[in-house]
Amino acid sequence: MCGVAGIYRPDRAPLDRADGERMIATLTHRGPDDSGVWVDRGIVLAHQRLAILDLSPRAAQPMRSADGRYVLSYNGEIFNFQTLRSRLEARGVTVRSSGDTEVLLEHIAAFGVEATLPELEGDWAFALWDARDRVLVLARDRHGVKPLYYTVGSGNQVRFASEVKALLDGGVEPDLATVNATLLGLSGTWGEHTMIRGINAVRPGEWLRFDGSTTPQRRTFFRITDWVDPALSAELDRASEHEVLERLAGDFETSMDLRMISDAPLACLVSGGVDSNLVAAAARKRNPDLALYHADVVNDSERPAAEALARELGLELRVTRVSDDDFLSAVAAVTWANDTPLIYHLNSVPFYLVSELAHRDGIKVLLTGEGSDEYFIGYPQYALAPVLDVVEAGKRRLQDTLHAAVPRAARLLWPKRSDDFAEQLRALVFRFEEEIVRRDSEAAVAHLPRRRDRRYQAMALTLVQEHLVSLLHRNDRLGMAWSLESRFPFLGHDLARTALNLPGRYKLRVTRSLHDRRHPFIVDKWAVRALAERYVPSDLARREKQGFPVSIAQRLRIDPRFYQGGFVQDLYGLDQVALERLHASASRTWATRLLLLEVWGRLFVLGRSVSQVQEELARGGVALAG
């Protein structure tokens, strides 16, 4: 895990090493172990290194291929690098370092970019310079774990970096559509657009080729829907329950083996839920000295469950206690680390603080349970889908009847979603990203004979492409703020592909016992719980999902005068009377969203420092209810 930055000028104008040094200095937190800058006419590649594999200088970057054609600045991990290394050695290629960077570079030199990308299992993003053809390539992994952003300026100059903050260069203009989408509840971390106009993200599974033309050549080497496999779905449907669980267990163990490879200290982040319990128990088998880390959130504590897991595994549990005061004192720093407002993930503050504790202990790698809830359907609102489907079908029939009988009254009293201007505006603000993802997901699973299986596979595809990307963004930014790499065993390619194609009965299953008060008699992510019972006691495998809950929005009090001379007031052209009316009519959730947007705007658009914004919060009437 590292930081990447650079500049490409098609006109071959000379660039100064200092240009790269200034950009990469913004990303020192992503790689405090080493830094490097490589310069040639029209190109600068810069790198900050967090040494995880091969801690020696042999793995330093930017790295040049043995034939001199390619130069690589790379962020992340290729977990199957040993297999790729063996392939290279079979061709007579000498690999001198023991990590993955040189393997990636020489594999591209031997087979080309297009042939290499589908072979990579891991979490990565990279910038590659082809000195022979004078082409810049930017690429990003399948799930979008590792970030990569770019902006194209005058003369088709390209600037790129691992985080948005490295691309800020004065005169920043917010992207109003993305700002509004964020206020409405979109994470702002998936899709191409960012909160800053003109700064775009490389999409997951995408690579861009810059050769000096007016626009980059976009190429996709993978979409999550590519893992939808009718033959595998049929095979899993015919197999016995024991056979399916054995296959899942094998895929999970393989993923764990790959993600435990590290030359640096490694630990597990545990919430107390079944996903992190399973990961920690499997990691304990491979490393008996493993440490566990937990964020104990006051008023939302899951500490007893995490302590029960630690006792069961005989491991030390390192805990950071997170209070409401911690939220207020850290919100500016966490927003700066996150690159986006904390609206979608208020629980970012606990994650940031527990990462700080692990960093102080010398940990460099944290295993977490992300991906399970998305691939196996672990969210309460989705677990109720079978019931809600029946209710919604009844509502639609009644609505259709009323619209046919009394159309004018029905449009007024009960408008259809397709006729609702607010809903259409929401889709427009989101740039129809949600609709496109859901349409493509439903089309990908249309072959399945049972409606239930089509429904659950489409759910998983949507969750992975939307919500999961936001979780991975949070883990990357807030872990890397403390020079910590996050790894996700549930995202192993074989495991994810098997999970996606599982019949619905292995995800949501009806039971006679009261499983979860939010969806009684329905067991969510059934297969994960069944697998976890092989590793931990039943009570630890059957716990309800909570995650990193945070309820501080209910206790925040915000004086509307805080917004005077700030970002929100300027963006929407509000006078003080309008601000007061806005707050008088706002729910606590909406008021909290406005505050979090204001903090982001002061940092990223108005250019204020973290300490300045923190002082403004303290002076501006933002406080907690007594």
Side-chain angles (χ1 to χ4, degrees):
M1 292 297 172
C2 304
V4 169
I7 306 169
Y8 163 56
R9 291 191 56 138
D11 60 5
R12 304 193 184 197
L15 291 166
D16 197 313
R17 175 179 296 271
D19 297 329
E21 290 172 345
R22 279 192 295 270
M23 292 180 71
I24 206 64
T26 313
L27 305 178
T28 303
H29 53 279
R30 296 189 68 91
D33 296 329
D34 192 16
S35 65
V37 177
W38 184 88
V39 185
D40 200 358
R41 292 190 67 82
I43 186 72
V44 173
L45 290 181
H47 190 263
Q48 287 289 156
R49 184 184 182 200
L50 178 65
I52 302 293
L53 300 176
D54 191 344
L55 310 184
S56 77
R58 292 190 303 272
Q61 297 185 53
M63 183 182 289
R64 193 162 193 175
S65 60
D67 62 7
R69 177 177 175 180
Y70 297 102
V71 186
L72 176 70
S73 185
Y74 154 64
N75 167 31
E77 303 286 352
I78 308 298
F79 297 123
N80 63 334
F81 76 96
Q82 293 169 332
T83 299
L84 301 180
R85 180 188 182 113
S86 297
R87 179 183 301 169
L88 289 171
E89 290 173 342
R91 287 173 59 99
V93 176
T94 299
V95 179
R96 294 173 176 81
S97 59
S98 60
D100 57 341
T101 304
E102 187 180 2
V103 170
L104 170 61
L105 180 58
E106 294 303 333
H107 199 282
I108 290 172
F111 299 100
V113 173
E114 193 164 8
T116 295
L117 296 181
E119 300 297 319
L120 306 179
E121 168 153 7
D123 309 330
W124 50 267
F126 65 74
L128 179 79
W129 174 244
D130 182 342
R132 188 192 72 184
D133 295 343
R134 298 197 57 80
V135 167
L136 172 69
V137 169
L138 303 180
R140 192 175 177 202
D141 66 75
R142 283 171 164 83
H143 283 103
V145 175
K146 303 316 299 175
L148 192 55
Y149 300 94
Y150 70 96
T151 180
V152 181
S154 60
N156 295 329
Q157 174 179 285
V158 181
R159 298 165 64 241
F160 54 91
S162 295
E163 296 182 13
V164 166
K165 60 180 66 67
L167 298 175
L168 302 181
D169 192 22
V172 172
E173 182 182 355
D175 186 290
L176 186 57
T178 307
V179 169
N180 288 339
T182 302
L183 277 176
L184 287 171
L186 185 70
S187 73
T189 58
W190 53 277
E192 176 188 357
H193 300 281
T194 72
M195 300 282 289
I196 304 295
R197 182 176 295 278
I199 298 180
N200 295 320
V202 180
R203 289 176 178 266
E206 179 181 70
W207 61 292
L208 306 182
R209 187 177 187 273
F210 297 88
D211 59 7
S213 56
T214 55
T215 57
Q217 299 174 36
R218 293 183 172 277
R219 302 182 182 182
T220 300
F221 70 90
F222 180 80
R223 291 186 175 91
I224 296 296
T225 51
D226 293 344
W227 271 337
V228 174
D229 185 339
L232 178 56
S233 295
E235 177 188 341
L236 293 169
D237 198 26
R238 291 191 303 268
S240 68
E241 188 173 285
H242 174 77
E243 290 171 330
V244 170
L245 289 177
E246 284 297 305
R247 177 171 185 144
L248 283 172
D251 290 343
F252 177 72
E253 289 287 339
T254 298
S255 183
M256 285 295 305
D257 286 338
L258 292 176
R259 285 156 182 80
M260 290 290 290
I261 300 172
S262 176
D263 296 327
L266 177 149
C268 285
L269 181 64
V270 295
S271 66
V274 60
D275 307 321
S276 58
N277 287 351
L278 174 54
V279 169
R284 167 67 175 80
K285 288 170 50 180
R286 295 160 171 81
N287 181 357
D289 297 322
L290 191 75
L292 306 181
Y293 287 84
H294 175 74
D296 181 15
V297 182
V298 175
N299 299 311
D300 300 293
S301 179
E302 286 193 273
R303 184 170 181 167
E307 289 175 337
L309 174 69
R311 285 194 301 272
E312 174 66 28
L313 300 180
L315 297 175
E316 179 186 9
L317 181 68
R318 300 279 289 141
V319 178
T320 187
R321 189 165 172 80
V322 184
S323 68
D324 290 347
D325 288 336
D326 292 323
F327 176 91
L328 283 181
S329 64
V331 65
V334 179
T335 300
W336 178 250
N338 196 54
D339 270 349
T340 63
L342 304 184
I343 291 169
Y344 196 76
H345 287 299
L346 262 175
N347 56 14
S348 295
V349 173
F351 193 96
Y352 178 87
L353 294 176
V354 76
S355 297
E356 179 184 12
L357 174 61
H359 170 76
R360 290 203 311 264
D361 289 347
I363 301 299
K364 284 191 172 182
V365 180
L366 275 180
L367 297 177
T368 83
E370 266 73 24
S372 171
D373 285 324
E374 291 73 30
Y375 276 108
F376 291 91
I377 314 298
Y379 293 102
Q381 65 271 36
Y382 287 89
L384 285 173
V387 176
L388 296 177
D389 279 353
V390 174
V391 173
E392 286 298 319
K395 287 169 61 178
R396 281 195 300 271
R397 285 194 293 270
L398 177 59
Q399 190 180 44
D400 289 342
T401 301
L402 288 174
H403 275 260
V406 284
R408 293 182 66 181
R411 283 197 298 271
L412 177 64
L413 299 173
W414 195 1
K416 291 186 176 182
R417 181 176 176 179
S418 58
D419 297 330
D420 186 346
F421 291 125
E423 186 64 33
Q424 292 299 311
L425 178 60
R426 182 177 184 274
L428 180 63
V429 167
F430 285 3
R431 296 181 173 94
F432 297 94
E433 291 268 6
E434 287 182 319
E435 284 75 3
I436 292 168
V437 167
R438 287 168 190 170
R439 179 202 66 195
D440 292 348
S441 297
E442 289 169 2
V445 302
H447 65 278
L448 293 171
R450 287 192 291 270
R451 184 179 182 278
R452 179 183 64 180
D453 292 340
R454 293 196 299 273
R455 174 82 161 136
Y456 295 168
Q457 275 204 25
M459 277 184 196
L461 285 168
T462 298
L463 282 167
V464 169
Q465 293 176 88
E466 294 179 1
H467 184 63
L468 179 60
V469 176
S470 75
L471 292 171
L472 301 176
H473 172 102
R474 179 196 68 183
N475 285 29
D476 172 80
R477 296 303 191 286
L478 305 183
M480 290 303 288
W482 295 106
S483 308
L484 275 174
E485 169 183 311
S486 294
R487 292 183 180 177
F488 313 98
F490 283 105
L491 301 190
H493 290 183
D494 290 340
L495 178 60
R497 181 171 168 269
T498 299
L500 184 61
N501 290 282
L502 279 178
R505 63 183 180 274
Y506 291 103
K507 297 184 178 182
L508 301 178
R509 182 171 292 194
V510 176
T511 177
R512 294 181 180 179
S513 60
L514 184 63
H515 168 70
D516 189 313
R517 65 188 184 280
R518 295 163 297 185
H519 44 86
F521 311 114
I522 299 174
V523 179
D524 57 356
K525 49 187 175 186
W526 181 89
V528 174
R529 297 183 187 280
L531 185 59
E533 291 199 32
R534 300 183 177 193
Y535 293 83
V536 296
S538 294
D539 60 326
L540 296 177
R542 296 175 183 173
R543 289 197 72 247
E544 296 179 8
K545 174 182 175 57
Q546 285 184 256
F548 275 122
V550 171
S551 56
I552 193 173
Q554 304 308 313
R555 297 184 286 280
L556 268 178
R557 296 295 179 267
I558 306 161
D559 188 324
R561 288 175 295 181
F562 169 70
Y563 294 95
Q564 286 182 340
F567 172 72
V568 169
Q569 182 179 39
D570 179 66
L571 182 68
Y572 293 106
L574 303 176
D575 61 21
Q576 192 58 36
V577 173
L579 283 173
E580 290 172 358
R581 289 179 178 174
L582 178 65
H583 263 269
S585 62
S587 67
R588 290 179 178 177
T589 298
W590 182 245
T592 303
R593 287 185 180 186
L594 287 173
L595 172 69
L596 296 172
L597 177 62
E598 179 69 32
V599 170
W600 175 86
R602 293 189 184 196
L603 291 166
F604 284 84
V605 180
L606 302 185
R608 296 176 190 170
S609 69
V610 168
S611 60
Q612 283 178 311
V613 174
Q614 204 62 58
E615 290 172 6
E616 291 165 357
L617 285 164
R619 295 196 312 264
V622 179
L624 296 166

